[in-house]
Amino acid sequence: FKGGTDDVRESPAIRVVRSLIADGCIITAYDPAAMKNAQAVLPEGSVAFAENAYQVMDEADALVVLTDWAEFSQLDMVQIKQRLGSPIVLDGRNMFDSSAMKEMGLTYVCVGRPSDGIVTAKQAFSAGKRKKRALVTGAAGFLGSHMVDALLAEGYSVLGVDNLLTGRVKNIQHLNGDPHFEFLRHDISEPFDPGTMDMVFNMASPASPVDYTIHGVETLLVGSSGTRNALEIARRYKAKFLHCSTSECYGDPLIHPQPESYWGHVNPIGPRSVYDESKRFSEALIMAYHRYYGVDTRLVRIFNTYGPRLQLNDGRVISNFLRQALCGEDLTIYGDGSQTRSFCYVSDQIDGLLRLMHSDEHNPVNIGNPEEFTILECANEVLAATGSESRLVFRSLPQDDPKQRCPDITRAMTLLGWTPKVRLPQGLHLSIPWFAANIGKKADNEHLAPRHITLPALSELPLRTGSARTVTLVDSMRSVSS
């Protein structure tokens, strides 16, 4: 917690590292004396430890200084600039001369210093930097909440919309008080007007087998009426529009791996059809809005994303296995375990979505990790990552369960320059702390204490003639019903 000691008790640096791990960051760390103690208090395997201060910089997206060791103040700025993948230094201890950092061409974020033309932490996130407004539907869901975080980090003002059918308050609880985030509790299947938007990320939908089996009709409605309402917002305000579709559009595929040109092998009336057909209809509607109305649309097909904030009991492979392994339960394998899947860590997924939004591509693009595992191999990876001694038990395979699922990401690589970085073993280690911390906790979505708010352009939601409606508005997690 300070230079010249190996003591990590109550260390702000440790808290920062844990927070970064929870958000999916890949961390390499160095400390002259405290690495052994740090290893003891950080999740095993979550951080790579370097041999010296310069080694941590190699190809890094940013250098973060969290402890005031004297040797850090003597670091060679030329080497810092040469080694970093991005020339960004976040100095939590004000170790460096800001003018010298500026002259070296480094983006320097420091703490509490008077403005002298250098970026300070406060200035970097000031309202003046936020020139664009983004709408995220499904903002309290697993993937939607990570997208909100990414957009805020990029300097956007964000309005998140979610009816909390499957989304959870705690996924966005950390944004409480953020002046650049507003939250509207609303079902997008009903029309609404959020005001001027530059971008719309349509991510609302029950996505797990457990959820869309229970909420089948709601799943169909959000994919049809909800998608249309989101498209109308993009059309009205000339906003860029990105829709999260799914690899389920390929059904139980007869072509492997699956390219975007494959039309799929789908049962339109089976138990999975409420989700599959919802997404297939959405894609047709989106392409129609692009062709006939000129809406600037993008379509992504997602393959098995996982990471922190994934629901614990959602019926998906990673979440089921991690929960069972950490609880000491048997790992349930459906079928003989020979069916295959590919798993994309959430930070890679968000990176791909943002790249697609910033591109000019209108046709579907697969975003997923092409590294393929059998279900049995995945179970063994989870056992190895958790150290669990759970047994493997086998159950009957559900109807229409795909025998193989793996993306062809040629288009993503060619059009977006995107490839996944996080392999399954590393992604599991990054996910385990969140799962371990949340197992056994009470379900959230509890209501928070109401406080007065004002949401510009949301005061007049459209109502059907002769109808009454109760609307709950929530701003930065402070709710008021009217």
Side-chain angles (χ1 to χ4, degrees):
F1 74 99
K2 64 179 180 180
T5 174
D6 65 355
D7 195 344
V8 298
R9 291 173 298 174
E10 302 300 322
S11 167
I14 294 294
R15 291 200 295 273
V16 170
V17 171
R18 284 174 174 157
S19 178
L20 292 171
I21 292 169
D23 278 344
C25 294
I26 300 170
I27 298 173
T28 303
Y30 170 74
D31 187 283
M35 288 197 291
K36 184 176 180 180
N37 289 344
Q39 284 177 296
V41 298
L42 291 169
E44 184 177 358
S46 62
V47 175
F49 290 93
E51 294 179 0
N52 57 64
Y54 290 113
Q55 191 179 52
V56 304
M57 305 175 196
D58 291 337
E59 298 304 314
D61 294 304
L63 171 65
V64 185
V65 181
L66 296 174
T67 311
D68 53 355
W69 281 94
E71 71 175 77
F72 294 167
S73 65
Q74 305 301 316
L75 291 171
D76 183 349
M77 292 184 191
V78 175
Q79 281 213 57
I80 294 175
K81 178 73 178 294
Q82 291 175 344
R83 286 174 176 265
L84 285 172
S86 299
I88 300 170
V89 177
L90 300 105
D91 184 359
R93 308 299 294 184
N94 289 345
M95 297 287 288
F96 303 112
D97 180 85
S98 57
S99 298
M101 298 294 275
K102 182 182 179 182
E103 290 174 6
M104 185 56 60
L106 291 160
T107 298
Y108 183 55
V109 181
C110 53
V111 180
R113 288 179 177 172
S115 176
D116 56 0
I118 308 302
V119 177
T120 66
K122 183 177 181 180
Q123 292 168 333
F125 295 98
S126 66
K129 296 288 183 181
R130 297 176 185 272
K131 299 179 180 179
K132 293 190 177 182
R133 194 163 182 244
L135 171 67
V136 178
T137 71
F142 159 56
L143 197 57
S145 64
H146 283 283
M147 178 56 73
V148 169
D149 287 345
L151 290 168
L152 290 171
E154 287 201 356
Y156 292 92
S157 293
V158 180
L159 172 64
V161 181
D162 203 302
N163 66 350
L164 301 181
L165 179 69
T166 59
R168 292 169 293 173
V169 166
K170 69 181 174 186
N171 285 343
I172 49 176
Q173 188 78 56
H174 61 288
L175 301 175
N176 185 21
D178 189 321
H180 305 291
F181 177 67
E182 297 172 321
F183 181 69
L184 169 65
R185 183 171 181 175
H186 180 75
D187 182 351
I188 68 164
S189 298
E190 297 288 343
F192 67 108
D193 186 352
T196 302
M197 287 292 162
D198 298 286
M199 298 189 301
V200 176
F201 292 82
N202 192 37
M203 310 179 80
S205 178
S208 73
V210 170
D211 286 337
Y212 64 66
T213 299
I214 296 171
H215 303 294
V217 173
E218 292 88 346
T219 302
L220 287 165
L221 287 174
V222 77
S224 52
S225 299
T227 298
R228 184 183 181 188
N229 290 332
L231 282 163
E232 282 295 326
I233 292 168
R235 181 186 179 191
R236 183 180 308 128
Y237 295 109
K238 295 180 172 54
K240 294 181 178 180
F241 181 94
L242 182 142
H243 176 75
C244 289
S245 190
T246 174
S247 59
E248 291 285 342
C249 287
Y250 302 120
D252 187 4
L254 304 179
I255 294 178
H256 193 74
Q258 294 83 59
E260 294 87 347
S261 58
Y262 177 49
W263 291 356
H265 178 232
V266 180
N267 178 357
I269 60 171
R272 304 170 76 101
S273 65
V274 291
Y275 183 62
D276 302 351
E277 298 303 317
S278 164
K279 293 296 188 180
R280 287 162 70 92
F281 177 83
S282 292
E283 290 195 7
L285 185 63
I286 289 159
M287 293 307 297
Y289 264 71
H290 175 66
R291 290 190 185 101
Y292 300 120
Y293 298 144
V295 177
D296 192 5
T297 59
R298 289 142 188 81
L299 268 173
V300 59
R301 290 174 181 161
I302 291 172
F303 286 71
N304 293 301
T305 311
Y306 70 100
R309 304 180 198 164
L310 194 64
Q311 290 187 53
L312 298 173
N313 297 298
D314 69 357
R316 285 182 273 200
V317 175
I318 297 294
S319 53
N320 269 10
F321 283 172
L322 280 178
R323 181 187 60 79
Q324 290 170 338
L326 292 169
C327 290
E329 301 174 0
D330 295 336
L331 268 59
T332 306
I333 295 176
Y334 295 95
D336 61 6
S338 63
Q339 64 271 40
T340 67
R341 297 290 185 272
S342 60
F343 304 101
C344 188
Y345 189 68
V346 64
S347 59
D348 284 334
Q349 188 71 64
I350 294 298
D351 177 45
L353 297 182
L354 289 171
R355 287 175 185 240
L356 181 57
M357 177 59 98
H358 295 316
S359 77
D360 295 320
E361 181 57 39
H362 302 296
N363 290 309
V365 177
N366 290 334
I367 299 292
N369 193 323
E371 187 175 16
E372 195 172 5
F373 293 86
T374 67
I375 300 300
L376 192 57
E377 288 172 337
C378 178
N380 286 321
E381 289 284 353
V382 169
L383 291 177
T386 58
S388 171
E389 297 182 358
S390 298
R391 301 178 307 155
L392 304 181
V393 297
F394 297 81
R395 299 285 185 265
S396 298
L397 197 64
Q399 182 181 339
D400 300 327
D401 190 72
K403 292 182 290 294
Q404 52 190 2
R405 184 65 60 75
C406 181
D408 181 332
I409 63 168
T410 302
R411 299 194 78 236
M413 294 169 62
T414 303
L415 297 171
L416 311 177
W418 179 86
T419 54
K421 299 176 182 177
V422 181
R423 297 188 64 237
L424 181 61
Q426 182 184 16
L428 291 175
H429 280 293
L430 292 171
S431 303
I432 286 170
W434 186 90
F435 275 79
N438 285 273
I439 286 172
K441 285 189 176 181
K442 179 184 176 183
D444 55 9
N445 290 349
E446 63 277 1
H447 295 288
L448 304 178
R451 292 176 62 181
H452 176 73
I453 62 164
T454 300
L455 283 183
L458 286 174
S459 58
E460 296 183 1
L461 300 180
L463 299 173
R464 295 174 184 162
T465 303
S467 70
R469 182 177 304 157
T470 298
V471 179
T472 301
L473 304 179
V474 184
D475 177 22
S476 297
M477 305 316 304
R478 301 186 296 274
S479 66
V480 58
S481 295
S482 61

